[in-house]
Amino acid sequence: MAELKDKVNAEIENISVVLEELKGIKDKPNKNTAELAGIGTFLHNIYNGIENILKQILISEDIKIPSSESWHQDLLIQATDKKIITETTEKQLARYLAFRHFFIHAYGFMLDEQELKLLADDVFNVYSSFKTEIDFFMSK
């Protein structure tokens, strides 16, 4: 369990750094394409960190990580089924999964500033809920 805690804490620390960086740019007016791409990268980083935490927990529970083409979505479902996260958090994270998919297949100039703003504004609360649920699960 100590090894899992160390891995999860490392991801939490990395996500915390990214959230601080995001705070510094998300409300800046008149963002250029590079700044929008930076926000997209931060959102992508946060979601990847969340996935890494879920994978580490599942591995520690001797639960096989999904390997289908839809493994990212299956990971969220599996984490919910195993009561690691709630259905509410799964639904909130699904928005970031959809963004992640778009982000890795799109060009930076295709990012919509309003959509990024919604995601960037919400990510702090979504992550807080996720972290609370992870902390609760790991305390059992």
Side-chain angles (χ1 to χ4, degrees):
M1 186 68 156
E3 184 180 342
L4 171 63
K5 198 168 224 165
D6 290 344
K7 289 178 180 180
V8 169
N9 285 338
E11 290 294 342
I12 287 170
E13 179 60 32
N14 289 337
I15 293 169
S16 295
V17 170
V18 174
L19 286 169
E20 283 303 311
E21 291 293 326
L22 182 59
K23 275 183 195 174
I25 193 171
K26 76 179 187 70
D27 293 324
K28 181 182 178 289
N30 304 317
K31 289 181 268 313
N32 63 36
T33 302
E35 290 165 329
L36 294 174
I39 291 170
T41 299
F42 293 150
L43 293 171
H44 181 263
N45 292 161
I46 293 163
Y47 187 78
N48 279 345
I50 287 169
E51 278 191 344
N52 290 341
I53 290 169
L54 294 176
K55 288 188 291 187
Q56 290 303 320
I57 291 172
L58 290 172
I59 289 168
S60 77
E61 298 282 316
D62 288 326
I63 299 168
K64 188 175 180 189
I65 303 297
S67 60
S68 66
E69 284 188 30
S70 62
W71 77 265
H72 296 278
Q73 183 176 9
D74 295 342
L75 180 70
L76 287 180
I77 292 167
Q78 196 171 44
T80 305
D81 290 346
K82 300 299 180 188
K83 308 287 188 230
I84 299 168
I85 60 172
T86 63
E87 287 182 24
T88 300
T89 297
E90 176 192 356
K91 286 182 178 119
Q92 291 171 330
L93 290 174
R95 291 175 52 216
Y96 294 90
L97 171 57
F99 174 76
R100 178 206 168 280
H101 180 77
F102 170 80
F103 185 75
I104 63 171
H105 295 287
Y107 292 93
F109 67 85
M110 295 175 160
L111 293 169
D112 178 83
E113 186 168 358
Q114 293 300 348
E115 180 64 20
L116 279 177
K117 179 166 178 34
L118 290 173
L119 290 169
D121 287 345
D122 289 349
V123 76
F124 297 91
N125 290 328
V126 172
Y127 177 69
S128 178
S129 296
F130 171 80
K131 187 174 177 314
T132 298
E133 291 173 12
I134 294 303
D135 290 343
F136 178 75
F137 180 85
M138 291 188 53
S139 71
K140 295 191 233 175

